[in-house]
Each structure stands twice: as C-alpha cells, then as structure tokens.
Amino acid sequence: MSYSNENIQKASQVFFYLLKNKIVPINDTFGNEYIENLEVREIVKTMADEAGLLVFHIGGNVHLVSNPDNSIFATSYTHMKEKYKGLKKKKYFYLANIIICIFLSEVDKEKFVRIRAEEEGISYYKLEDIITKTIESWKKRNDEEENFSKDWALAIDDIYTLWTLELSHSKPSNSEELPFSKSIDTRLGFIHEALKPLKDEGLIVDMMKESRIIPKDELYERLNYLYHSQERYEEIMGLIEDTKEGF
C-alpha cells in the first residue's frame, strides 16, 4: 500500500513524539492524529514494529513500549545500572523487581480498591512492612522446600540478605521537606529508588513528602493491555497474594 507524503510526515511526527513521551493523551494533537487518521495509525504501527516497539491505544492514552526481545530500545541490566545508580549489582536489580511486583499486587485489584488506591495511595511504611514479611516468608519456604527458589526463578537468598541484613531501617531526612532519608542504603530509600522506573514512565505519582505512592490511570492501562495476559505476571501475583494471606 502506498501512503501520501503528507501522512508519512504526520506519522513520523506522531512516532517521534511518542518515542519522546511514551504516553500521549488522545486529546493531544498527536494523540488525536493517531486515533482519527487510519493511514497515520498504520504507518506509526509499522515504524514501531520495525524498531521492536509496541504502540497501542487504551483508555484515554496512546502508549509506546519496548518489546522485551529483539528491540533496539530494550533495556538491559547494564543500561538500567547506568540510569539508576541504586541498582549497582544484580541482587539490587532482583530486589527492585520484587518491590515493584509487591507494589503492583497492592494496587492491581478490583475497581473499588483501585479507586481507593488512586485517591489515598500506598504508604511507604505499609509497603516496607509487606516487603519484609513477604521476603521473610519466602526465605522460610526456601529453607524448608529444596526447590522453591529454583521453581519460582527467584534469587531468594540474595534478596533476603540484601533486604534484611545489608539495608538499614529508615533514617530521618536532613531536609525538613522529606519524612525520611532517600539513601539507597536504607529500606525506604531503596523502595524510592526501585519505583523510579514507574515514575519516569509516568505511571505513578511519588508523593514522598507525604510518604505515599499513587498509581495513575496510565499504570492500569498498561496492566490491562500488557500484563494481565502474561503467565509469568499472573504467577508472581498469585505467589505474592498467597504469601500475604499467611501474614
């Protein structure tokens, strides 16, 4: 199929705008162009596919995300370590992923729970408590069940040692504007660091002054479109929920 030069130019503008912003509201000029112009939408999807990206519209936004495999934009651990200094070793990366999963388990609920989470947010202190109890429970199971860590592909011993022995409890902040220190050597400080990718993607609001994290609609759009169909995501969420029932 041949496209007009005008639509090719418009599609290029839309694509690079998406590449820069990751999430574009449909009432934005470029978001509206993507929604209303079929030819532009097809060209943008082709450009995204060639780059190993996925573009989709759900709710009130157009999203552009990287495919996990065969994408020039896929983020490796090396790239993550360069951008987020707190992920200095792989065990920090593993722990950060568990923290994100536990946070998602708290907000990815029925509609009325989601509304409450969007209004009230999730407390840093509550999240710290759940993380501690979850990791301690997994460590106990790992000691009792020979293949627990292997079966779930979780570095339990590394995560447990880092969280319980190497990271200290929260410390007061030197700034009167913050309730606790952002040092990545503390548990609350590392939670702040671990959730930065979600904040940078525009998926959460980090209300650190109020010690809470608020999920945004864009986060639920990503979960609904991408993660609820992923077997690994559902398995990990199931494991976390089963673990929390034992608290």
Side-chain angles (χ1 to χ4, degrees), residues 74-209:
T75 303
S76 66
Y77 166 67
T78 302
H79 294 147
M80 291 287 288
K81 184 172 65 173
E82 291 174 354
K83 186 172 183 180
Y84 301 104
K85 302 304 180 183
L87 307 181
K88 47 193 173 184
K89 296 180 181 178
K90 281 198 173 181
K91 62 182 179 181
Y92 290 83
F93 180 68
Y94 298 150
L95 177 58
N97 282 318
I98 294 301
I99 289 173
I100 290 174
C101 287
I102 292 174
F103 169 74
L104 293 178
S105 78
E106 284 295 295
V107 302
D108 192 8
K109 304 283 191 180
E110 298 85 355
K111 186 175 182 180
F112 75 94
V113 179
R114 287 186 173 191
I115 292 172
R116 186 176 67 192
E118 289 176 343
E119 292 176 348
E120 301 176 6
I122 302 299
S123 162
Y124 264 94
Y125 302 100
K126 178 182 179 181
L127 192 55
E128 178 191 14
D129 183 56
I130 296 172
I131 293 166
T132 300
K133 290 178 179 177
T134 300
I135 291 176
E136 287 177 347
S137 177
W138 288 354
K139 173 61 175 173
K140 183 179 179 181
R141 284 190 63 179
N142 195 49
D143 291 341
E144 296 172 349
E145 302 174 25
E146 182 179 356
N147 294 320
F148 177 74
S149 178
K150 181 180 179 181
D151 289 345
W152 287 95
L154 297 170
I156 304 296
D157 288 333
D158 287 343
I159 292 170
Y160 176 83
T161 300
L162 176 56
W163 180 258
T164 62
L165 301 178
E166 297 182 29
L167 298 181
S168 67
H169 291 283
S170 60
K171 300 176 181 178
S173 172
N174 295 326
S175 169
E176 295 181 356
E177 295 183 358
L178 300 177
F180 56 83
S181 169
K182 292 196 296 183
S183 169
I184 59 173
D185 295 322
T186 65
R187 292 182 181 181
L188 293 178
F190 191 77
I191 291 173
H192 172 73
E193 182 75 9
L195 295 178
K196 275 184 179 179
L198 298 185
K199 180 182 177 182
D200 291 347
E201 284 288 308
L203 304 176
I204 62 171
V205 178
D206 189 348
M207 305 285 288
M208 194 173 177
K209 291 182 180 179

Side-chain angles (χ1 to χ4, degrees), residues 51-53 66-72 74:
L53 299 169
S66 172
N67 286 324
D69 301 309
N70 302 318
S71 172
I72 61 174

